[in-house]
Amino acid sequence: MLETRLSDQFAGNCKIGSFTIFNGGTYEFAGLAKASDDVSGSYRIFEDGKILDGSSTSGYPVAIETFHTLCLGQAAKEF
């Protein structure tokens, strides 16, 4: 079985929308999604320059919940 190490902390800069999550990934919250973004989530979140499509597979639910926790009031709850 492959071992996956997780961080014991997460951090963010709510002014610029940058944050990290438990898997060590770095994300950018970029506001409301537009119809042209072709995502199922309400917000645009990027990981390494690639937009998360809103699916569980993309990591969107974990990323948006982490952003909500770090930056209260900057985005409406979805889940």
Side-chain angles (χ1 to χ4, degrees):
M1 180 179 277
L2 182 65
E3 182 177 316
T4 301
R5 298 197 43 86
L6 299 176
S7 174
D8 59 354
Q9 62 184 350
F10 55 96
N13 181 329
C14 297
K15 277 187 157 182
I16 63 170
S18 175
F19 62 102
T20 60
I21 66 172
F22 294 113
N23 70 3
T26 301
Y27 297 83
E28 179 186 346
F29 176 83
L32 286 171
K34 301 173 184 129
S36 61
D37 291 328
D38 196 29
V39 298
S40 62
S42 298
Y43 298 98
R44 292 179 298 150
I45 299 177
F46 294 87
E47 178 184 20
D48 298 326
K50 182 180 174 202
I51 194 164
L52 303 181
D53 66 12
S55 69
S56 294
T57 303
S58 74
Y60 179 88
V62 172
I64 192 62
E65 287 301 314
T66 302
F67 183 75
H68 285 294
T69 301
L70 290 168
C71 303
L72 295 173
Q74 291 198 12
K77 295 283 273 178
E78 291 185 73
F79 305 103

